[in-house]
Amino acid sequence: MSTEAVPTDDLGKANDVLAEWAARSAADSDALVERLAGMGYDVRGKSEEEIAEVLKHPPAKPGADPAP
């Protein structure tokens, strides 16, 4: 058997890193917060850490815009 890692082995880790990066960006961008909310992520009024946690999971209501 090959000892090479399968690319999907690190998918969860990559998603977490991307969620944290997006959260840092959203913390300084009302426009990005609104865009993420429009995609169904409940990120309005949340801290950077809270946004990162929300983004690590599928949107609550895909394609729905949660009330402010």
Side-chain angles (χ1 to χ4, degrees):
M1 280 190 107
S2 173
T3 59
E4 289 185 43
V6 177
T8 56
D9 290 349
D10 293 325
L11 187 57
K13 184 177 179 180
N15 284 340
D16 288 348
V17 169
L18 288 172
E20 291 168 12
W21 171 81
R24 282 192 301 278
S25 299
D28 296 326
S29 173
D30 291 337
L32 182 53
V33 166
E34 290 305 313
R35 185 162 188 123
L36 291 168
M39 294 168 54
Y41 292 99
D42 183 20
V43 295
R44 288 188 183 107
K46 296 198 180 323
S47 69
E48 180 180 321
E49 292 80 19
E50 291 169 319
I51 293 171
E53 187 59 34
V54 168
L55 295 177
K56 290 178 183 179
H57 305 283
K61 297 180 182 177
D65 188 8

